[in-house]
Amino acid sequence: MRRCRSSFALLLLLITSLGTIAGARAATWERIGGYVRLMRRAGVESLVAKDCPEGLLGAFHEGRQVLLMCGNNLPDDPAYVWVVLAHESAHVMQFCNGGPLMPAALLTQEMDRARRTTPDAFHELKLYHVSQHHVEVEARLVQALPPDEVEALFHRHCGDRLER
């Protein structure tokens, strides 16, 4: 457990040090298309909207099982788009899992530690109700992972939904 907690703490520090977009690994349009097809096999449609409110990059609608990407607010850069796709797919994984992907106590402990190191580490969480902080932090952790790890997590949490 200690090793897992240390890796988690390092990931939190990576995100807080580099920022949510800058910490992303490069992706290609082909990789993005493959991941979208994987989610479609799990019953999640992906749509691109051209009329999202300013600042909104994406969203996941649980009831409709739709992952929305806001084309009017995203640059034409696959690395940037991948970050948003990975973030929103974390919410899909949370849905498949029936709740958060990691224990609340561990996440809270590591968030507190990161805040002591970098006080404004999670400043954008102020945009969300406190009840959403856990799922939003998890999504930020997922978006910072390399694409292979994001896809492995998707298989782990949503694999039973994949059409065979």
mmCIF file of all heavy atoms in Angstrom, residues 15 35 39 44 58-62 66-67 69 82-102 134-145 149-151 153-155 157-158 161:
data_model
loop_
_atom_site.group_PDB
_atom_site.id
_atom_site.type_symbol
_atom_site.label_atom_id
_atom_site.label_comp_id
_atom_site.label_asym_id
_atom_site.label_seq_id
_atom_site.Cartn_x
_atom_site.Cartn_y
_atom_site.Cartn_z
ATOM 1 N N ILE A 15 0.842 16.607 -11.586
ATOM 2 C CA ILE A 15 -0.278 17.407 -12.077
ATOM 3 C C ILE A 15 -0.206 18.826 -11.544
ATOM 4 O O ILE A 15 -0.389 19.788 -12.274
ATOM 5 C CB ILE A 15 -1.619 16.754 -11.695
ATOM 6 C CG1 ILE A 15 -1.790 15.480 -12.514
ATOM 7 C CG2 ILE A 15 -2.784 17.686 -11.927
ATOM 8 C CD1 ILE A 15 -2.936 14.636 -12.069
ATOM 9 N N TYR A 35 -9.601 5.156 -29.389
ATOM 10 C CA TYR A 35 -10.171 5.196 -28.038
ATOM 11 C C TYR A 35 -11.671 5.499 -28.085
ATOM 12 O O TYR A 35 -12.458 4.921 -27.337
ATOM 13 C CB TYR A 35 -9.421 6.209 -27.183
ATOM 14 C CG TYR A 35 -9.730 6.117 -25.710
ATOM 15 C CD1 TYR A 35 -9.669 4.899 -25.035
ATOM 16 C CD2 TYR A 35 -10.088 7.246 -24.987
ATOM 17 C CE1 TYR A 35 -9.945 4.810 -23.672
ATOM 18 C CE2 TYR A 35 -10.362 7.163 -23.627
ATOM 19 C CZ TYR A 35 -10.295 5.951 -22.986
ATOM 20 O OH TYR A 35 -10.582 5.872 -21.640
ATOM 21 N N MET A 39 -14.725 3.138 -26.609
ATOM 22 C CA MET A 39 -15.835 3.581 -25.767
ATOM 23 C C MET A 39 -17.185 3.294 -26.426
ATOM 24 O O MET A 39 -18.136 2.925 -25.743
ATOM 25 C CB MET A 39 -15.698 5.067 -25.423
ATOM 26 C CG MET A 39 -14.596 5.320 -24.394
ATOM 27 S SD MET A 39 -14.593 6.994 -23.757
ATOM 28 C CE MET A 39 -14.050 7.887 -25.183
ATOM 29 N N VAL A 44 -20.915 3.892 -25.153
ATOM 30 C CA VAL A 44 -20.808 5.337 -24.941
ATOM 31 C C VAL A 44 -20.559 6.011 -26.278
ATOM 32 O O VAL A 44 -19.563 5.742 -26.949
ATOM 33 C CB VAL A 44 -19.660 5.672 -23.954
ATOM 34 C CG1 VAL A 44 -19.495 7.177 -23.811
ATOM 35 C CG2 VAL A 44 -19.913 5.024 -22.611
ATOM 36 N N GLY A 58 -15.484 19.743 -22.286
ATOM 37 C CA GLY A 58 -16.128 18.460 -22.499
ATOM 38 C C GLY A 58 -17.035 18.123 -21.342
ATOM 39 O O GLY A 58 -17.040 18.803 -20.312
ATOM 40 N N ALA A 59 -17.792 17.042 -21.509
ATOM 41 C CA ALA A 59 -18.708 16.601 -20.458
ATOM 42 C C ALA A 59 -19.118 15.161 -20.747
ATOM 43 O O ALA A 59 -19.043 14.700 -21.889
ATOM 44 C CB ALA A 59 -19.941 17.495 -20.407
ATOM 45 N N PHE A 60 -19.567 14.476 -19.695
ATOM 46 C CA PHE A 60 -20.128 13.140 -19.850
ATOM 47 C C PHE A 60 -21.536 13.152 -19.269
ATOM 48 O O PHE A 60 -21.734 13.562 -18.128
ATOM 49 C CB PHE A 60 -19.274 12.089 -19.134
ATOM 50 C CG PHE A 60 -19.915 10.722 -19.110
ATOM 51 C CD1 PHE A 60 -20.226 10.056 -20.281
ATOM 52 C CD2 PHE A 60 -20.220 10.112 -17.905
ATOM 53 C CE1 PHE A 60 -20.837 8.807 -20.260
ATOM 54 C CE2 PHE A 60 -20.818 8.860 -17.868
ATOM 55 C CZ PHE A 60 -21.128 8.206 -19.044
ATOM 56 N N HIS A 61 -22.502 12.736 -20.069
ATOM 57 C CA HIS A 61 -23.891 12.650 -19.620
ATOM 58 C C HIS A 61 -24.199 11.192 -19.337
ATOM 59 O O HIS A 61 -24.303 10.378 -20.267
ATOM 60 C CB HIS A 61 -24.824 13.213 -20.695
ATOM 61 C CG HIS A 61 -26.230 13.390 -20.220
ATOM 62 N ND1 HIS A 61 -27.096 12.331 -20.062
ATOM 63 C CD2 HIS A 61 -26.912 14.503 -19.859
ATOM 64 C CE1 HIS A 61 -28.254 12.781 -19.639
ATOM 65 N NE2 HIS A 61 -28.175 14.100 -19.505
ATOM 66 N N GLU A 62 -24.326 10.860 -18.043
ATOM 67 C CA GLU A 62 -24.547 9.472 -17.641
ATOM 68 C C GLU A 62 -25.836 8.899 -18.203
ATOM 69 O O GLU A 62 -25.863 7.770 -18.702
ATOM 70 C CB GLU A 62 -24.574 9.358 -16.115
ATOM 71 C CG GLU A 62 -23.244 9.542 -15.460
ATOM 72 C CD GLU A 62 -23.302 9.378 -13.950
ATOM 73 O OE1 GLU A 62 -24.358 8.963 -13.410
ATOM 74 O OE2 GLU A 62 -22.287 9.667 -13.298
ATOM 75 N N VAL A 66 -23.372 9.627 -23.231
ATOM 76 C CA VAL A 66 -22.748 10.424 -24.281
ATOM 77 C C VAL A 66 -21.588 11.205 -23.695
ATOM 78 O O VAL A 66 -21.727 11.867 -22.674
ATOM 79 C CB VAL A 66 -23.764 11.400 -24.919
ATOM 80 C CG1 VAL A 66 -23.079 12.361 -25.864
ATOM 81 C CG2 VAL A 66 -24.863 10.637 -25.641
ATOM 82 N N LEU A 67 -20.454 11.106 -24.374
ATOM 83 C CA LEU A 67 -19.287 11.903 -24.033
ATOM 84 C C LEU A 67 -19.229 13.034 -25.051
ATOM 85 O O LEU A 67 -19.213 12.788 -26.254
ATOM 86 C CB LEU A 67 -18.025 11.038 -24.096
ATOM 87 C CG LEU A 67 -16.752 11.699 -23.591
ATOM 88 C CD1 LEU A 67 -15.860 10.644 -22.968
ATOM 89 C CD2 LEU A 67 -16.036 12.434 -24.684
ATOM 90 N N MET A 69 -17.429 16.461 -26.565
ATOM 91 C CA MET A 69 -16.210 17.253 -26.704
ATOM 92 C C MET A 69 -16.623 18.589 -27.310
ATOM 93 O O MET A 69 -17.413 18.628 -28.255
ATOM 94 C CB MET A 69 -15.209 16.549 -27.619
ATOM 95 C CG MET A 69 -14.789 15.162 -27.150
ATOM 96 S SD MET A 69 -13.750 15.189 -25.697
ATOM 97 C CE MET A 69 -12.239 15.816 -26.398
ATOM 98 N N TRP A 82 -6.637 14.897 -26.498
ATOM 99 C CA TRP A 82 -6.503 13.650 -25.735
ATOM 100 C C TRP A 82 -6.717 13.893 -24.246
ATOM 101 O O TRP A 82 -7.379 13.110 -23.566
ATOM 102 C CB TRP A 82 -5.138 12.998 -25.957
ATOM 103 C CG TRP A 82 -4.976 11.823 -25.048
ATOM 104 C CD1 TRP A 82 -4.312 11.784 -23.853
ATOM 105 C CD2 TRP A 82 -5.576 10.532 -25.196
ATOM 106 N NE1 TRP A 82 -4.457 10.546 -23.264
ATOM 107 C CE2 TRP A 82 -5.215 9.765 -24.072
ATOM 108 C CE3 TRP A 82 -6.376 9.959 -26.176
ATOM 109 C CZ2 TRP A 82 -5.643 8.446 -23.906
ATOM 110 C CZ3 TRP A 82 -6.788 8.644 -26.009
ATOM 111 C CH2 TRP A 82 -6.425 7.907 -24.887
ATOM 112 N N VAL A 83 -6.175 14.970 -23.720
ATOM 113 C CA VAL A 83 -6.315 15.274 -22.296
ATOM 114 C C VAL A 83 -7.790 15.402 -21.930
ATOM 115 O O VAL A 83 -8.246 14.839 -20.935
ATOM 116 C CB VAL A 83 -5.540 16.558 -21.917
ATOM 117 C CG1 VAL A 83 -5.874 17.009 -20.508
ATOM 118 C CG2 VAL A 83 -4.044 16.332 -22.052
ATOM 119 N N VAL A 84 -8.538 16.126 -22.743
ATOM 120 C CA VAL A 84 -9.963 16.308 -22.465
ATOM 121 C C VAL A 84 -10.699 14.982 -22.605
ATOM 122 O O VAL A 84 -11.541 14.632 -21.766
ATOM 123 C CB VAL A 84 -10.566 17.399 -23.382
ATOM 124 C CG1 VAL A 84 -12.064 17.536 -23.147
ATOM 125 C CG2 VAL A 84 -9.858 18.730 -23.141
ATOM 126 N N LEU A 85 -10.376 14.224 -23.632
ATOM 127 C CA LEU A 85 -11.008 12.915 -23.835
ATOM 128 C C LEU A 85 -10.704 11.978 -22.669
ATOM 129 O O LEU A 85 -11.599 11.309 -22.142
ATOM 130 C CB LEU A 85 -10.532 12.299 -25.154
ATOM 131 C CG LEU A 85 -11.116 10.942 -25.515
ATOM 132 C CD1 LEU A 85 -12.629 11.031 -25.698
ATOM 133 C CD2 LEU A 85 -10.450 10.421 -26.785
ATOM 134 N N ALA A 86 -9.452 11.938 -22.230
ATOM 135 C CA ALA A 86 -9.076 11.085 -21.101
ATOM 136 C C ALA A 86 -9.793 11.526 -19.827
ATOM 137 O O ALA A 86 -10.268 10.695 -19.049
ATOM 138 C CB ALA A 86 -7.560 11.111 -20.902
ATOM 139 N N HIS A 87 -9.898 12.835 -19.620
ATOM 140 C CA HIS A 87 -10.592 13.358 -18.437
ATOM 141 C C HIS A 87 -12.052 12.915 -18.434
ATOM 142 O O HIS A 87 -12.546 12.366 -17.441
ATOM 143 C CB HIS A 87 -10.510 14.891 -18.418
ATOM 144 C CG HIS A 87 -11.256 15.516 -17.290
ATOM 145 N ND1 HIS A 87 -10.619 15.963 -16.158
ATOM 146 C CD2 HIS A 87 -12.580 15.764 -17.107
ATOM 147 C CE1 HIS A 87 -11.532 16.454 -15.325
ATOM 148 N NE2 HIS A 87 -12.728 16.350 -15.885
ATOM 149 N N GLU A 88 -12.733 13.144 -19.544
ATOM 150 C CA GLU A 88 -14.150 12.780 -19.602
ATOM 151 C C GLU A 88 -14.340 11.268 -19.550
ATOM 152 O O GLU A 88 -15.310 10.779 -18.975
ATOM 153 C CB GLU A 88 -14.810 13.388 -20.837
ATOM 154 C CG GLU A 88 -14.830 14.907 -20.847
ATOM 155 C CD GLU A 88 -15.434 15.543 -19.598
ATOM 156 O OE1 GLU A 88 -16.310 14.925 -18.945
ATOM 157 O OE2 GLU A 88 -15.025 16.667 -19.264
ATOM 158 N N SER A 89 -13.408 10.520 -20.126
ATOM 159 C CA SER A 89 -13.529 9.059 -20.058
ATOM 160 C C SER A 89 -13.336 8.554 -18.629
ATOM 161 O O SER A 89 -13.853 7.491 -18.278
ATOM 162 C CB SER A 89 -12.547 8.383 -21.015
ATOM 163 O OG SER A 89 -11.226 8.393 -20.538
ATOM 164 N N ALA A 90 -12.634 9.315 -17.803
ATOM 165 C CA ALA A 90 -12.529 8.943 -16.384
ATOM 166 C C ALA A 90 -13.917 8.968 -15.747
ATOM 167 O O ALA A 90 -14.239 8.114 -14.915
ATOM 168 C CB ALA A 90 -11.582 9.879 -15.647
ATOM 169 N N HIS A 91 -14.739 9.920 -16.149
ATOM 170 C CA HIS A 91 -16.105 9.961 -15.621
ATOM 171 C C HIS A 91 -16.915 8.768 -16.131
ATOM 172 O O HIS A 91 -17.763 8.232 -15.405
ATOM 173 C CB HIS A 91 -16.783 11.286 -15.987
ATOM 174 C CG HIS A 91 -16.136 12.478 -15.345
ATOM 175 N ND1 HIS A 91 -15.877 12.554 -13.989
ATOM 176 C CD2 HIS A 91 -15.679 13.634 -15.878
ATOM 177 C CE1 HIS A 91 -15.303 13.714 -13.717
ATOM 178 N NE2 HIS A 91 -15.164 14.382 -14.850
ATOM 179 N N VAL A 92 -16.641 8.333 -17.366
ATOM 180 C CA VAL A 92 -17.273 7.117 -17.872
ATOM 181 C C VAL A 92 -16.846 5.935 -16.993
ATOM 182 O O VAL A 92 -17.675 5.117 -16.579
ATOM 183 C CB VAL A 92 -16.893 6.858 -19.351
ATOM 184 C CG1 VAL A 92 -17.443 5.508 -19.821
ATOM 185 C CG2 VAL A 92 -17.378 7.987 -20.245
ATOM 186 N N MET A 93 -15.564 5.850 -16.686
ATOM 187 C CA MET A 93 -15.053 4.758 -15.845
ATOM 188 C C MET A 93 -15.682 4.791 -14.457
ATOM 189 O O MET A 93 -16.016 3.743 -13.892
ATOM 190 C CB MET A 93 -13.529 4.844 -15.725
ATOM 191 C CG MET A 93 -12.777 4.558 -16.991
ATOM 192 S SD MET A 93 -11.003 4.729 -16.709
ATOM 193 C CE MET A 93 -10.546 5.785 -18.067
ATOM 194 N N GLN A 94 -15.858 5.979 -13.907
ATOM 195 C CA GLN A 94 -16.508 6.101 -12.602
ATOM 196 C C GLN A 94 -17.940 5.587 -12.680
ATOM 197 O O GLN A 94 -18.418 4.920 -11.763
ATOM 198 C CB GLN A 94 -16.466 7.563 -12.128
ATOM 199 C CG GLN A 94 -15.073 8.030 -11.783
ATOM 200 C CD GLN A 94 -14.929 9.546 -11.746
ATOM 201 O OE1 GLN A 94 -15.741 10.284 -12.301
ATOM 202 N NE2 GLN A 94 -13.873 10.017 -11.097
ATOM 203 N N PHE A 95 -18.621 5.882 -13.780
ATOM 204 C CA PHE A 95 -19.976 5.376 -13.977
ATOM 205 C C PHE A 95 -19.963 3.849 -14.046
ATOM 206 O O PHE A 95 -20.767 3.176 -13.391
ATOM 207 C CB PHE A 95 -20.592 5.971 -15.243
ATOM 208 C CG PHE A 95 -21.936 5.415 -15.558
ATOM 209 C CD1 PHE A 95 -23.068 5.890 -14.912
ATOM 210 C CD2 PHE A 95 -22.084 4.401 -16.486
ATOM 211 C CE1 PHE A 95 -24.325 5.358 -15.181
ATOM 212 C CE2 PHE A 95 -23.328 3.871 -16.768
ATOM 213 C CZ PHE A 95 -24.450 4.350 -16.111
ATOM 214 N N CYS A 96 -19.067 3.295 -14.857
ATOM 215 C CA CYS A 96 -18.967 1.832 -14.982
ATOM 216 C C CYS A 96 -18.662 1.185 -13.633
ATOM 217 O O CYS A 96 -19.163 0.102 -13.327
ATOM 218 C CB CYS A 96 -17.853 1.449 -15.960
ATOM 219 S SG CYS A 96 -18.178 1.839 -17.691
ATOM 220 N N ASN A 97 -17.851 1.855 -12.843
ATOM 221 C CA ASN A 97 -17.421 1.342 -11.542
ATOM 222 C C ASN A 97 -18.502 1.513 -10.472
ATOM 223 O O ASN A 97 -18.384 0.963 -9.386
ATOM 224 C CB ASN A 97 -16.127 2.056 -11.120
ATOM 225 C CG ASN A 97 -15.368 1.336 -10.046
ATOM 226 O OD1 ASN A 97 -15.153 0.134 -10.136
ATOM 227 N ND2 ASN A 97 -14.966 2.072 -9.021
ATOM 228 N N GLY A 98 -19.493 2.309 -10.761
ATOM 229 C CA GLY A 98 -20.531 2.574 -9.776
ATOM 230 C C GLY A 98 -20.082 3.534 -8.692
ATOM 231 O O GLY A 98 -20.663 3.587 -7.615
ATOM 232 N N GLY A 99 -19.058 4.320 -8.967
ATOM 233 C CA GLY A 99 -18.540 5.280 -8.003
ATOM 234 C C GLY A 99 -17.077 5.567 -8.270
ATOM 235 O O GLY A 99 -16.543 5.201 -9.321
ATOM 236 N N PRO A 100 -16.429 6.216 -7.327
ATOM 237 C CA PRO A 100 -15.026 6.593 -7.505
ATOM 238 C C PRO A 100 -14.124 5.392 -7.805
ATOM 239 O O PRO A 100 -14.448 4.249 -7.482
ATOM 240 C CB PRO A 100 -14.650 7.229 -6.164
ATOM 241 C CG PRO A 100 -15.944 7.670 -5.579
ATOM 242 C CD PRO A 100 -16.959 6.663 -6.041
ATOM 243 N N LEU A 101 -12.979 5.692 -8.396
ATOM 244 C CA LEU A 101 -12.026 4.662 -8.781
ATOM 245 C C LEU A 101 -11.038 4.325 -7.665
ATOM 246 O O LEU A 101 -10.386 3.298 -7.721
ATOM 247 C CB LEU A 101 -11.248 5.108 -10.029
ATOM 248 C CG LEU A 101 -12.101 5.527 -11.227
ATOM 249 C CD1 LEU A 101 -11.208 6.034 -12.354
ATOM 250 C CD2 LEU A 101 -12.991 4.392 -11.676
ATOM 251 N N MET A 102 -10.922 5.207 -6.668
ATOM 252 C CA MET A 102 -9.984 4.978 -5.568
ATOM 253 C C MET A 102 -10.636 5.351 -4.242
ATOM 254 O O MET A 102 -11.585 6.129 -4.214
ATOM 255 C CB MET A 102 -8.684 5.742 -5.782
ATOM 256 C CG MET A 102 -8.837 7.243 -5.808
ATOM 257 S SD MET A 102 -7.326 8.128 -6.226
ATOM 258 C CE MET A 102 -7.025 7.550 -7.878
ATOM 259 N N HIS A 134 -14.044 14.749 -5.389
ATOM 260 C CA HIS A 134 -13.373 13.452 -5.503
ATOM 261 C C HIS A 134 -13.336 12.999 -6.964
ATOM 262 O O HIS A 134 -12.269 12.650 -7.485
ATOM 263 C CB HIS A 134 -14.094 12.416 -4.631
ATOM 264 C CG HIS A 134 -13.380 11.109 -4.555
ATOM 265 N ND1 HIS A 134 -12.847 10.641 -3.386
ATOM 266 C CD2 HIS A 134 -13.103 10.170 -5.490
ATOM 267 C CE1 HIS A 134 -12.279 9.470 -3.608
ATOM 268 N NE2 HIS A 134 -12.423 9.160 -4.874
ATOM 269 N N VAL A 135 -14.470 13.013 -7.636
ATOM 270 C CA VAL A 135 -14.513 12.520 -9.016
ATOM 271 C C VAL A 135 -13.729 13.430 -9.962
ATOM 272 O O VAL A 135 -13.124 12.959 -10.928
ATOM 273 C CB VAL A 135 -15.958 12.295 -9.517
ATOM 274 C CG1 VAL A 135 -16.627 11.182 -8.740
ATOM 275 C CG2 VAL A 135 -16.781 13.559 -9.488
ATOM 276 N N GLU A 136 -13.710 14.731 -9.677
ATOM 277 C CA GLU A 136 -12.956 15.650 -10.532
ATOM 278 C C GLU A 136 -11.447 15.481 -10.350
ATOM 279 O O GLU A 136 -10.695 15.545 -11.320
ATOM 280 C CB GLU A 136 -13.379 17.097 -10.289
ATOM 281 C CG GLU A 136 -14.724 17.425 -10.887
ATOM 282 C CD GLU A 136 -14.792 17.177 -12.394
ATOM 283 O OE1 GLU A 136 -13.810 17.478 -13.120
ATOM 284 O OE2 GLU A 136 -15.825 16.695 -12.859
ATOM 285 N N VAL A 137 -11.009 15.261 -9.124
ATOM 286 C CA VAL A 137 -9.578 15.026 -8.909
ATOM 287 C C VAL A 137 -9.160 13.727 -9.584
ATOM 288 O O VAL A 137 -8.118 13.659 -10.242
ATOM 289 C CB VAL A 137 -9.221 15.015 -7.407
ATOM 290 C CG1 VAL A 137 -7.797 14.523 -7.181
ATOM 291 C CG2 VAL A 137 -9.381 16.419 -6.832
ATOM 292 N N GLU A 138 -9.967 12.696 -9.443
ATOM 293 C CA GLU A 138 -9.654 11.435 -10.131
ATOM 294 C C GLU A 138 -9.536 11.639 -11.632
ATOM 295 O O GLU A 138 -8.621 11.106 -12.271
ATOM 296 C CB GLU A 138 -10.727 10.390 -9.856
ATOM 297 C CG GLU A 138 -10.619 9.733 -8.532
ATOM 298 C CD GLU A 138 -11.620 8.607 -8.361
ATOM 299 O OE1 GLU A 138 -12.611 8.515 -9.113
ATOM 300 O OE2 GLU A 138 -11.395 7.798 -7.453
ATOM 301 N N ALA A 139 -10.454 12.399 -12.211
ATOM 302 C CA ALA A 139 -10.414 12.639 -13.652
ATOM 303 C C ALA A 139 -9.143 13.377 -14.042
ATOM 304 O O ALA A 139 -8.543 13.093 -15.084
ATOM 305 C CB ALA A 139 -11.652 13.412 -14.096
ATOM 306 N N ARG A 140 -8.686 14.295 -13.200
ATOM 307 C CA ARG A 140 -7.437 15.009 -13.478
ATOM 308 C C ARG A 140 -6.234 14.070 -13.371
ATOM 309 O O ARG A 140 -5.258 14.225 -14.094
ATOM 310 C CB ARG A 140 -7.302 16.214 -12.560
ATOM 311 C CG ARG A 140 -8.159 17.372 -13.028
ATOM 312 C CD ARG A 140 -8.462 18.383 -11.943
ATOM 313 N NE ARG A 140 -9.287 19.470 -12.453
ATOM 314 C CZ ARG A 140 -10.584 19.391 -12.709
ATOM 315 N NH1 ARG A 140 -11.232 18.263 -12.508
ATOM 316 N NH2 ARG A 140 -11.253 20.428 -13.170
ATOM 317 N N LEU A 141 -6.315 13.114 -12.477
ATOM 318 C CA LEU A 141 -5.243 12.127 -12.381
ATOM 319 C C LEU A 141 -5.201 11.255 -13.631
ATOM 320 O O LEU A 141 -4.138 10.994 -14.181
ATOM 321 C CB LEU A 141 -5.429 11.257 -11.137
ATOM 322 C CG LEU A 141 -5.253 11.958 -9.800
ATOM 323 C CD1 LEU A 141 -5.642 11.037 -8.658
ATOM 324 C CD2 LEU A 141 -3.831 12.458 -9.632
ATOM 325 N N VAL A 142 -6.365 10.828 -14.080
ATOM 326 C CA VAL A 142 -6.433 9.973 -15.276
ATOM 327 C C VAL A 142 -5.928 10.731 -16.501
ATOM 328 O O VAL A 142 -5.174 10.185 -17.304
ATOM 329 C CB VAL A 142 -7.869 9.431 -15.489
ATOM 330 C CG1 VAL A 142 -8.004 8.770 -16.851
ATOM 331 C CG2 VAL A 142 -8.237 8.461 -14.376
ATOM 332 N N GLN A 143 -6.309 11.984 -16.649
ATOM 333 C CA GLN A 143 -5.910 12.736 -17.839
ATOM 334 C C GLN A 143 -4.400 12.928 -17.929
ATOM 335 O O GLN A 143 -3.868 13.191 -19.012
ATOM 336 C CB GLN A 143 -6.620 14.085 -17.901
ATOM 337 C CG GLN A 143 -6.040 15.139 -16.979
ATOM 338 C CD GLN A 143 -6.847 16.407 -16.935
ATOM 339 O OE1 GLN A 143 -8.064 16.387 -17.026
ATOM 340 N NE2 GLN A 143 -6.175 17.532 -16.789
ATOM 341 N N ALA A 144 -3.698 12.796 -16.837
ATOM 342 C CA ALA A 144 -2.242 12.964 -16.838
ATOM 343 C C ALA A 144 -1.498 11.672 -17.158
ATOM 344 O O ALA A 144 -0.287 11.684 -17.326
ATOM 345 C CB ALA A 144 -1.784 13.497 -15.480
ATOM 346 N N LEU A 145 -2.224 10.566 -17.259
ATOM 347 C CA LEU A 145 -1.594 9.279 -17.540
ATOM 348 C C LEU A 145 -1.296 9.124 -19.025
ATOM 349 O O LEU A 145 -1.992 9.703 -19.862
ATOM 350 C CB LEU A 145 -2.519 8.137 -17.092
ATOM 351 C CG LEU A 145 -2.792 8.022 -15.598
ATOM 352 C CD1 LEU A 145 -3.874 6.976 -15.354
ATOM 353 C CD2 LEU A 145 -1.522 7.692 -14.842
ATOM 354 N N GLU A 149 -2.067 3.625 -20.403
ATOM 355 C CA GLU A 149 -2.579 3.428 -19.045
ATOM 356 C C GLU A 149 -4.046 3.840 -18.940
ATOM 357 O O GLU A 149 -4.817 3.210 -18.226
ATOM 358 C CB GLU A 149 -1.716 4.175 -18.039
ATOM 359 C CG GLU A 149 -0.331 3.559 -17.901
ATOM 360 C CD GLU A 149 0.525 4.257 -16.860
ATOM 361 O OE1 GLU A 149 -0.025 4.751 -15.848
ATOM 362 O OE2 GLU A 149 1.745 4.315 -17.071
ATOM 363 N N VAL A 150 -4.427 4.882 -19.662
ATOM 364 C CA VAL A 150 -5.833 5.298 -19.669
ATOM 365 C C VAL A 150 -6.681 4.174 -20.260
ATOM 366 O O VAL A 150 -7.714 3.792 -19.697
ATOM 367 C CB VAL A 150 -6.028 6.617 -20.459
ATOM 368 C CG1 VAL A 150 -7.510 6.951 -20.600
ATOM 369 C CG2 VAL A 150 -5.279 7.766 -19.786
ATOM 370 N N GLU A 151 -6.240 3.625 -21.370
ATOM 371 C CA GLU A 151 -6.988 2.542 -22.006
ATOM 372 C C GLU A 151 -7.037 1.301 -21.115
ATOM 373 O O GLU A 151 -8.068 0.623 -21.045
ATOM 374 C CB GLU A 151 -6.401 2.218 -23.377
ATOM 375 C CG GLU A 151 -6.704 3.301 -24.388
ATOM 376 C CD GLU A 151 -6.244 2.967 -25.793
ATOM 377 O OE1 GLU A 151 -6.122 1.775 -26.133
ATOM 378 O OE2 GLU A 151 -6.015 3.919 -26.552
ATOM 379 N N LEU A 153 -7.012 1.279 -17.854
ATOM 380 C CA LEU A 153 -8.002 1.589 -16.820
ATOM 381 C C LEU A 153 -9.418 1.437 -17.359
ATOM 382 O O LEU A 153 -10.305 0.942 -16.661
ATOM 383 C CB LEU A 153 -7.812 3.012 -16.286
ATOM 384 C CG LEU A 153 -6.731 3.232 -15.262
ATOM 385 C CD1 LEU A 153 -6.582 4.723 -14.962
ATOM 386 C CD2 LEU A 153 -7.040 2.470 -13.978
ATOM 387 N N PHE A 154 -9.625 1.870 -18.602
ATOM 388 C CA PHE A 154 -10.949 1.739 -19.189
ATOM 389 C C PHE A 154 -11.340 0.264 -19.285
ATOM 390 O O PHE A 154 -12.457 -0.116 -18.934
ATOM 391 C CB PHE A 154 -11.003 2.409 -20.573
ATOM 392 C CG PHE A 154 -12.401 2.471 -21.111
ATOM 393 C CD1 PHE A 154 -13.243 3.506 -20.759
ATOM 394 C CD2 PHE A 154 -12.887 1.486 -21.962
ATOM 395 C CE1 PHE A 154 -14.547 3.569 -21.242
ATOM 396 C CE2 PHE A 154 -14.183 1.528 -22.452
ATOM 397 C CZ PHE A 154 -15.014 2.579 -22.086
ATOM 398 N N HIS A 155 -10.419 -0.564 -19.751
ATOM 399 C CA HIS A 155 -10.689 -2.002 -19.820
ATOM 400 C C HIS A 155 -10.988 -2.568 -18.433
ATOM 401 O O HIS A 155 -11.888 -3.395 -18.272
ATOM 402 C CB HIS A 155 -9.508 -2.752 -20.451
ATOM 403 C CG HIS A 155 -9.513 -2.707 -21.941
ATOM 404 N ND1 HIS A 155 -10.328 -3.487 -22.714
ATOM 405 C CD2 HIS A 155 -8.789 -1.943 -22.806
ATOM 406 C CE1 HIS A 155 -10.118 -3.231 -23.992
ATOM 407 N NE2 HIS A 155 -9.191 -2.290 -24.069
ATOM 408 N N HIS A 157 -12.235 -1.016 -15.746
ATOM 409 C CA HIS A 157 -13.477 -0.548 -15.126
ATOM 410 C C HIS A 157 -14.716 -0.704 -16.014
ATOM 411 O O HIS A 157 -15.824 -0.786 -15.477
ATOM 412 C CB HIS A 157 -13.333 0.906 -14.683
ATOM 413 C CG HIS A 157 -12.342 1.081 -13.591
ATOM 414 N ND1 HIS A 157 -12.564 0.645 -12.306
ATOM 415 C CD2 HIS A 157 -11.087 1.607 -13.602
ATOM 416 C CE1 HIS A 157 -11.517 0.900 -11.561
ATOM 417 N NE2 HIS A 157 -10.600 1.472 -12.328
ATOM 418 N N CYS A 158 -14.545 -0.742 -17.322
ATOM 419 C CA CYS A 158 -15.691 -0.822 -18.235
ATOM 420 C C CYS A 158 -15.632 -2.047 -19.139
ATOM 421 O O CYS A 158 -16.457 -2.183 -20.035
ATOM 422 C CB CYS A 158 -15.785 0.442 -19.084
ATOM 423 S SG CYS A 158 -16.036 1.961 -18.145
ATOM 424 N N ARG A 161 -18.604 -4.145 -20.221
ATOM 425 C CA ARG A 161 -19.596 -3.516 -21.099
ATOM 426 C C ARG A 161 -19.219 -3.624 -22.571
ATOM 427 O O ARG A 161 -20.023 -3.290 -23.440
ATOM 428 C CB ARG A 161 -19.732 -2.030 -20.747
ATOM 429 C CG ARG A 161 -20.317 -1.795 -19.376
ATOM 430 C CD ARG A 161 -20.462 -0.335 -19.116
ATOM 431 N NE ARG A 161 -21.241 0.299 -20.198
ATOM 432 C CZ ARG A 161 -21.756 1.499 -20.126
ATOM 433 N NH1 ARG A 161 -21.610 2.218 -19.045
ATOM 434 N NH2 ARG A 161 -22.435 2.009 -21.131
#
